Amino acid sequence: MYVSTTKVRVRYSETDMMGYCYYGNYATYFEVARVETIRQLGFSYRQMEDDGIALPVLEFSIKYFKPAFYDDELTIETTISEIPRARIHFSYKTFNAEGVLINEAKTSLVFINKESMKPCSAPADFVEALDKHF
């Protein structure tokens, strides 16, 4: 299992009329967390794309427990709990500055060969880097 953490801060423009962080922003926060998780493993989305691999989101689910507010610093704990094949699954837990769990989410992405636009296996060097954590 590989776990990483990423911090994001709720900007004023990301709040709704109630002062809550608008629920749709979490998809963006989780994208930031995924990119940073991959970077912490020594890889980058950009390089994967340059190498001909795309990673579109196949599924996204989230459960909200508490709101976040303007200027809250959030910690997103991102977990990869299995070695990817043609798909990679991420789980997220978002905590506020007091350490309170405010939501949990999951995304599944598919490795796509950009030339054929068909699913393909995860890059071998990426799988090898992750394998060290299992």
Side-chain angles (χ1 to χ4, degrees):
M1 178 177 339
Y2 184 75
V3 180
S4 72
T5 59
T6 304
K7 296 202 182 276
V8 295
R9 189 169 297 276
V10 179
R11 296 172 291 212
Y12 185 79
S13 65
E14 297 170 336
T15 60
D16 61 19
M17 289 183 67
M18 296 179 291
Y20 292 3
C21 178
Y22 180 69
Y23 77 95
N25 292 314
Y26 289 99
T28 301
Y29 296 165
F30 299 142
E31 180 183 3
V32 170
R34 278 195 308 276
V35 168
E36 291 307 313
T37 297
I38 289 172
R39 188 181 316 280
Q40 290 169 21
L41 284 164
F43 295 85
S44 78
Y45 259 57
R46 182 175 186 160
Q47 188 60 53
M48 283 188 190
E49 288 185 348
D50 289 349
D51 292 342
I53 301 291
L55 276 167
V57 173
L58 178 65
E59 294 178 287
F60 172 57
S61 65
I62 187 167
K63 181 159 178 102
Y64 301 95
F65 306 116
K66 301 264 184 195
F69 302 93
Y70 166 63
D71 207 37
D72 280 357
E73 183 179 63
L74 306 178
T75 300
I76 302 172
E77 182 182 280
T78 306
T79 303
I80 302 172
S81 58
E82 60 188 58
I83 299 293
R85 298 192 193 301
R87 295 181 184 180
I88 185 167
H89 306 282
F90 295 89
S91 299
Y92 313 91
K93 290 183 180 181
T94 306
F95 299 90
N96 64 19
E98 290 76 36
V100 175
L101 179 65
I102 63 171
N103 63 45
E104 292 181 330
K106 294 181 180 181
T107 56
S108 296
L109 290 80
V110 180
F111 290 91
I112 299 287
N113 178 301
K114 286 174 64 175
E115 191 172 309
S116 69
M117 297 306 289
K118 295 191 181 210
C120 62
S121 297
D125 55 348
F126 181 70
V127 171
E128 185 179 312
L130 260 177
D131 196 42
K132 298 172 188 172
H133 301 279
F134 284 81

